[in-house]
Amino acid sequence: MRLDVVTIFPEYLEPLNVSLVGKARTRGQLDVRVHDLRSWTHDRHNTVDDTPYGGGPGMVMKPEPWGEALDSVLASGEAEGLAAPVLVVPTPSGRPFTQELAVELAERPWLVFAPARYEGIDRRVIEEYGERLEVHEVSIGDYVLAGGEAAVLVITEAVARLLPGVLGNAESHRDDSFAPGAMADLLEGPVYTKPPEWRGRDIPEVLVSGHHGKIARWRRDEAFRRTSANRPDLIERCDPAALDKHDRKTLAELGWEELPGGGFGRRDRAVEE
Ligand code: JCE
């Protein structure tokens, strides 16, 4: 897979040389090219921003450097025989970045990232490349970063670990929380390793019982417990058809009831508390 990143902070992308993504690069599974947006400016001050039309706070990134940068990056990939890339533009007003989108992006041979700074990029740039490429404006979460570079690191790591042969162990994908497929709608429970006792704390007995059925059931119960506590929205929209009798009992103990219209809701605990 080839990745191009156009940014005014190329040093911010240094972490792409480290760990899983860095190893994928040295193994030749990932071809990452980071470009300095300012190299496509023509004035003495390498200006990339200007004041917003209509007034208001902050600055907006000018369209000309982005246009020249993206044209040049697109031309270089085309010259190497690559078909049109997906353009990924991080923004707090984008569509949520999910595991589903990570899987989709991991299937593409070429991604171009356009992380902005200031108040974002002149809208006409998104419109222009929207007519030539598949453009995804994506948000990595409901908070406001100072720029898109950290989002590029997040998206790249989520995508790179899905590439064939990047994670040593293909098994490791299967029951990730949020992975499409099994466990798609539950968070993972806790994990433990050696030593069996640490600072007076034991590990749950069931995990050393050797009873695989009981272990699977315990893990599922813990998954429900965590999901109920941290992501009640996932319980609310879980499919009752995917639950067995034991699951229903676990959910009932956690304060959930099956609603007449299907799905689950929290029992009114106002009196209990
Ligand atoms: C960014 C900014 C909008 C004012 C470029 C923030 C993505 N999930 C996300 N949170 N924050 C971002 C993000 C991505 C790119 C940029 N800002 C700051 N954005 C309004 C300021 C600028």
Side-chain angles (χ1 to χ4, degrees):
M1 171 182 271
R2 168 151 162 192
L3 302 181
D4 287 273
V5 186
V6 179
T7 172
I8 60 167
F9 293 125
E11 333 78 82
Y12 206 118
L13 283 301
E14 280 293 306
L16 295 178
N17 296 323
V18 179
S19 184
L20 169 135
V21 176
K23 271 179 208 136
R25 290 179 78 173
T26 51
R27 288 202 205 109
Q29 293 163 321
L30 255 188
D31 174 7
V32 181
R33 306 188 192 186
V34 179
H35 314 270
D36 187 347
L37 179 69
R38 291 192 200 276
S39 56
W40 287 281
T41 57
H42 303 286
D43 64 312
R44 285 200 318 125
H45 296 107
N46 303 125
T47 311
V48 294
D49 62 320
D50 205 337
T51 53
Y53 273 118
M59 300 292 271
V60 174
M61 296 193 98
K62 294 166 66 56
E64 304 97 318
W66 278 107
E68 288 193 30
L70 292 173
D71 285 352
S72 158
V73 166
L74 295 183
S76 93
E78 279 162 22
E80 294 180 25
L82 287 162
V86 175
L87 178 63
V88 180
V89 186
T91 163
S93 36
R95 80 140 126 154
F97 180 65
T98 59
Q99 188 65 25
E100 194 181 354
L101 183 51
V103 168
E104 229 178 282
L105 295 178
E107 288 164 356
R108 309 296 293 249
W110 184 17
L111 308 177
V112 177
F113 290 95
R117 285 271 147 179
Y118 312 105
E119 305 293 310
I121 307 173
D122 187 301
R123 190 68 209 165
R124 293 168 292 182
V125 175
I126 312 301
E127 289 172 7
E128 166 87 1
Y129 291 93
E131 292 178 1
R132 297 202 229 156
L133 315 168
E134 193 174 316
V135 177
H136 293 284
E137 290 184 275
V138 299
S139 166
I140 61 160
D142 291 340
Y143 38 77
V144 182
L145 303 169
E149 286 79 6
V152 171
L153 295 177
V154 167
I155 295 166
T156 300
E157 188 157 309
V159 168
R161 68 185 285 284
L162 296 176
L163 298 177
V166 167
L167 269 195
N169 175 11
E171 288 290 346
S172 314
H173 283 319
R174 260 212 293 279
D175 42 39
D176 294 349
S177 297
F178 298 118
M183 303 286 279
D185 29 33
L186 284 181
L187 305 183
E188 292 202 335
V191 295
Y192 300 87
T193 185
K194 270 74 72 185
E197 192 203 318
W198 180 73
R199 298 192 179 178
R201 297 164 190 275
D202 296 324
I203 63 168
E205 282 269 338
V206 64
L207 297 180
V208 286
S209 68
H211 195 303
H212 300 298
K214 279 188 184 162
I215 292 172
R217 182 50 80 181
W218 179 85
R219 287 191 169 142
R220 192 161 167 86
D221 288 349
E222 289 300 310
F224 277 116
R225 200 175 305 287
R226 272 208 179 164
T227 309
S228 175
N230 297 339
R231 293 294 304 278
D233 58 307
L234 295 180
I235 304 283
E236 276 163 14
R237 58 182 149 88
C238 94
D239 175 12
L243 305 177
D244 64 18
K245 254 174 80 181
H246 185 104
D247 294 337
R248 286 164 211 280
K249 182 166 157 271
T250 304
L251 280 179
E253 284 166 11
L254 292 168
W256 294 89
E257 63 185 357
E258 210 162 337
L259 300 173
F264 284 82
R266 255 215 217 272
R267 249 195 327 274
D268 183 19
R269 287 155 60 180
V271 200
E272 298 171 39
E273 285 165 15

